[in-house]
mmCIF file of all heavy atoms in Angstrom:
data_model
loop_
_atom_site.group_PDB
_atom_site.id
_atom_site.type_symbol
_atom_site.label_atom_id
_atom_site.label_comp_id
_atom_site.label_asym_id
_atom_site.label_seq_id
_atom_site.Cartn_x
_atom_site.Cartn_y
_atom_site.Cartn_z
ATOM 1 N N GLY A 188 133.151 75.342 106.720
ATOM 2 C CA GLY A 188 133.671 75.453 105.367
ATOM 3 C C GLY A 188 132.996 74.471 104.433
ATOM 4 O O GLY A 188 132.012 73.805 104.785
ATOM 5 N N VAL A 189 133.548 74.354 103.256
ATOM 6 C CA VAL A 189 133.022 73.473 102.217
ATOM 7 C C VAL A 189 134.091 72.448 101.875
ATOM 8 O O VAL A 189 135.261 72.807 101.684
ATOM 9 C CB VAL A 189 132.633 74.264 100.957
ATOM 10 C CG1 VAL A 189 132.140 73.329 99.862
ATOM 11 C CG2 VAL A 189 131.574 75.297 101.280
ATOM 12 N N ILE A 190 133.709 71.175 101.815
ATOM 13 C CA ILE A 190 134.637 70.128 101.391
ATOM 14 C C ILE A 190 134.568 70.021 99.872
ATOM 15 O O ILE A 190 133.506 69.763 99.296
ATOM 16 C CB ILE A 190 134.293 68.787 102.050
ATOM 17 C CG1 ILE A 190 134.484 68.881 103.573
ATOM 18 C CG2 ILE A 190 135.164 67.672 101.488
ATOM 19 C CD1 ILE A 190 134.120 67.609 104.310
ATOM 20 N N SER A 191 135.687 70.239 99.221
ATOM 21 C CA SER A 191 135.741 70.222 97.759
ATOM 22 C C SER A 191 136.928 69.387 97.299
ATOM 23 O O SER A 191 137.891 69.174 98.051
ATOM 24 C CB SER A 191 135.844 71.647 97.198
ATOM 25 O OG SER A 191 136.971 72.304 97.741
ATOM 26 N N GLN A 192 136.846 68.919 96.085
ATOM 27 C CA GLN A 192 137.915 68.109 95.501
ATOM 28 C C GLN A 192 138.639 68.966 94.463
ATOM 29 O O GLN A 192 138.285 68.991 93.292
ATOM 30 C CB GLN A 192 137.356 66.839 94.868
ATOM 31 C CG GLN A 192 138.409 65.826 94.467
ATOM 32 C CD GLN A 192 137.799 64.508 94.007
ATOM 33 O OE1 GLN A 192 136.581 64.389 93.906
ATOM 34 N NE2 GLN A 192 138.624 63.521 93.714
ATOM 35 N N LEU A 193 139.651 69.669 94.939
ATOM 36 C CA LEU A 193 140.399 70.551 94.057
ATOM 37 C C LEU A 193 141.361 69.787 93.153
ATOM 38 O O LEU A 193 141.729 70.268 92.090
ATOM 39 C CB LEU A 193 141.178 71.581 94.884
ATOM 40 C CG LEU A 193 140.338 72.461 95.825
ATOM 41 C CD1 LEU A 193 141.233 73.440 96.573
ATOM 42 C CD2 LEU A 193 139.255 73.200 95.057
ATOM 43 N N PHE A 198 141.005 65.854 98.874
ATOM 44 C CA PHE A 198 139.884 66.678 99.320
ATOM 45 C C PHE A 198 140.406 67.816 100.201
ATOM 46 O O PHE A 198 141.386 67.655 100.931
ATOM 47 C CB PHE A 198 138.871 65.835 100.098
ATOM 48 C CG PHE A 198 138.169 64.814 99.253
ATOM 49 C CD1 PHE A 198 138.697 63.531 99.122
ATOM 50 C CD2 PHE A 198 137.001 65.126 98.600
ATOM 51 C CE1 PHE A 198 138.051 62.581 98.349
ATOM 52 C CE2 PHE A 198 136.344 64.179 97.817
ATOM 53 C CZ PHE A 198 136.880 62.905 97.690
ATOM 54 N N TYR A 199 139.713 68.942 100.106
ATOM 55 C CA TYR A 199 140.136 70.133 100.830
ATOM 56 C C TYR A 199 138.947 70.726 101.563
ATOM 57 O O TYR A 199 137.800 70.669 101.097
ATOM 58 C CB TYR A 199 140.716 71.182 99.872
ATOM 59 C CG TYR A 199 142.037 70.789 99.257
ATOM 60 C CD1 TYR A 199 142.088 69.919 98.163
ATOM 61 C CD2 TYR A 199 143.238 71.285 99.758
ATOM 62 C CE1 TYR A 199 143.299 69.561 97.596
ATOM 63 C CE2 TYR A 199 144.452 70.931 99.197
ATOM 64 C CZ TYR A 199 144.474 70.071 98.110
ATOM 65 O OH TYR A 199 145.680 69.718 97.559
ATOM 66 N N LEU A 200 139.217 71.286 102.729
ATOM 67 C CA LEU A 200 138.236 72.072 103.461
ATOM 68 C C LEU A 200 138.556 73.539 103.219
ATOM 69 O O LEU A 200 139.665 73.993 103.513
ATOM 70 C CB LEU A 200 138.305 71.766 104.958
ATOM 71 C CG LEU A 200 137.378 72.586 105.865
ATOM 72 C CD1 LEU A 200 135.917 72.274 105.563
ATOM 73 C CD2 LEU A 200 137.677 72.312 107.331
ATOM 74 N N GLU A 201 137.615 74.286 102.662
ATOM 75 C CA GLU A 201 137.898 75.665 102.280
ATOM 76 C C GLU A 201 136.764 76.590 102.687
ATOM 77 O O GLU A 201 135.606 76.198 102.808
ATOM 78 C CB GLU A 201 138.131 75.768 100.769
ATOM 79 C CG GLU A 201 136.961 75.339 99.914
ATOM 80 C CD GLU A 201 137.186 75.579 98.434
ATOM 81 O OE1 GLU A 201 137.943 76.511 98.103
ATOM 82 O OE2 GLU A 201 136.612 74.844 97.624
ATOM 83 N N VAL A 209 142.372 67.724 103.718
ATOM 84 C CA VAL A 209 141.857 66.903 104.808
ATOM 85 C C VAL A 209 141.893 65.437 104.392
ATOM 86 O O VAL A 209 141.774 65.092 103.205
ATOM 87 C CB VAL A 209 140.417 67.292 105.198
ATOM 88 C CG1 VAL A 209 140.381 68.668 105.806
ATOM 89 C CG2 VAL A 209 139.483 67.249 103.987
ATOM 90 N N LEU A 211 140.053 62.019 104.535
ATOM 91 C CA LEU A 211 138.721 61.482 104.751
ATOM 92 C C LEU A 211 138.706 59.953 104.697
ATOM 93 O O LEU A 211 137.628 59.353 104.551
ATOM 94 C CB LEU A 211 137.749 62.044 103.697
ATOM 95 C CG LEU A 211 137.582 63.570 103.658
ATOM 96 C CD1 LEU A 211 136.612 63.974 102.556
ATOM 97 C CD2 LEU A 211 137.114 64.095 104.990
#
Side-chain angles (χ1 to χ4, degrees):
V189 178
I190 295 178
S191 57
Q192 191 173 5
L193 302 180
F198 293 91
Y199 291 80
L200 177 65
E201 60 175 332
V209 293
L211 300 179

